[in-house]
Amino acid sequence: MNNFLDTILTPFTYAVSWVLWAFHELFTLIGMNPDSGVTWTLSIIFLVLLIRTLLIPVFVKQIKSQRAMQALQPDLKKLQAKYKGKTDQMSRQAMVQEQQALFKKHKTNPLSSCLPLLIQMPFFFALFRVLNNASHASESGQSVGALSVENIRSFDAATIFGAPLSETFLGTFNSGDTNWAVVIVAVIMILAMIASQFFTQRQLMTKNMSAEALQGPFMQQQKMMLYILPLVFGIGGINFPIGVLIYWTATNLWTLGQQYWVIHNNPTPGSEAERELNARRAAKGLPPVGQKKNAEAEQPVIEQPKGQREQPQRKNRRKKK
């Protein structure tokens, strides 16, 4: 099993380690200390910025899929009412088939909202391998991915606020010589990671969901994610190296800011955010979202009075004698 995972993650490990090395070299080139924890921390943060920038098209697709899921909530409720109380195998199968046809019609599926997270996971696990293996590789004089032995030793010795970037919350307790700087930094980073994850999901639920979606089964899925995801990452965070905690907190903050911008400027139709946007537009004298200001309709057309047509003058003709 480990060999299978190694085979899958090896390309991601080299990609992540190479980008990490490239940013570290860049910051060193502009005069920063190559062995400083600040230099390595900035390298991790810029790795996040690069990955999330590349994932912007996926994020746009996720937003469209989420809105499609919200739009079909009334149809899903009708489908559930249609098969309410029917527990036989044929009815269940028919309901599943109709649901799939509904998703296909709206060009979405329930897993689309998790797409950016699923794409990020290989990079996350690859970075976890790189940073988690730094201490062992440093002791044995081995390289990890694109990072040389010197890079690994530099990273393993780097600290931020006295906490080594390669150390973990659980690891420092198991070492027998607890480093309280690691404990404090890890707890702060774990809390920041959980809070950013929670507020990102809560922002979506309270601001960017239509009234129909708030009453539908999609809301139940969102409520589960609101509490389950922060809990999963919070529990897992005690075994994450400080460098991985920095990575995940930075990517959560990116997601929170990116989602805020979308909700603020391009909210879901029928949501609270859309009502707030229309209120802001009304204060500026602008029409609601999706409506164009019809200047001609607002300004009554004043018809000019038509003048009388001038009759041609008849020429006096001489009577023939």
Side-chain angles (χ1 to χ4, degrees), residues 169-225:
F169 177 90
L170 199 60
T172 190
F173 280 110
N174 294 335
S175 66
D177 185 17
T178 304
N179 185 336
W180 289 103
V182 173
V183 174
I184 294 172
V185 172
V187 168
I188 293 174
M189 297 303 299
I190 290 172
L191 291 177
M193 182 175 63
I194 293 174
S196 56
Q197 186 85 45
F198 178 83
F199 283 111
T200 297
Q201 190 63 28
R202 190 174 183 276
Q203 178 181 241
L204 176 66
M205 293 170 56
T206 58
K207 292 290 186 180
N208 206 39
M209 294 182 70
S210 62
E212 294 80 6
L214 290 173
Q215 303 299 324
F218 184 66
M219 184 62 176
Q220 301 303 319
Q221 176 188 350
Q222 297 299 316
K223 284 182 177 179
M224 290 178 61
M225 293 178 65

Side-chain angles (χ1 to χ4, degrees), residues 59 63-64 66-68 70-71 203-211 258-281 287-290:
F59 177 76
I63 292 295
K64 292 180 179 178
Q66 285 177 341
R67 293 185 179 180
Q70 294 183 33
Q203 178 181 241
L204 176 66
M205 293 170 56
T206 58
K207 292 290 186 180
N208 206 39
M209 294 182 70
S210 62
Q258 182 175 249
Q259 183 173 268
Y260 174 82
W261 187 91
V262 171
I263 292 175
H264 189 77
N265 295 282
N266 190 21
T268 299
S271 64
E272 177 65 23
E274 186 188 50
R275 289 189 287 272
E276 292 177 357
L277 176 59
N278 287 334
R280 294 195 303 270
R281 291 176 63 87
V289 177

Side-chain angles (χ1 to χ4, degrees), residues 21-40:
W21 169 85
F23 279 124
H24 181 262
E25 290 296 307
L26 175 63
F27 291 127
T28 302
L29 187 64
I30 63 176
M32 296 185 68
N33 183 358
D35 298 324
S36 170
V38 175
T39 305
W40 283 107

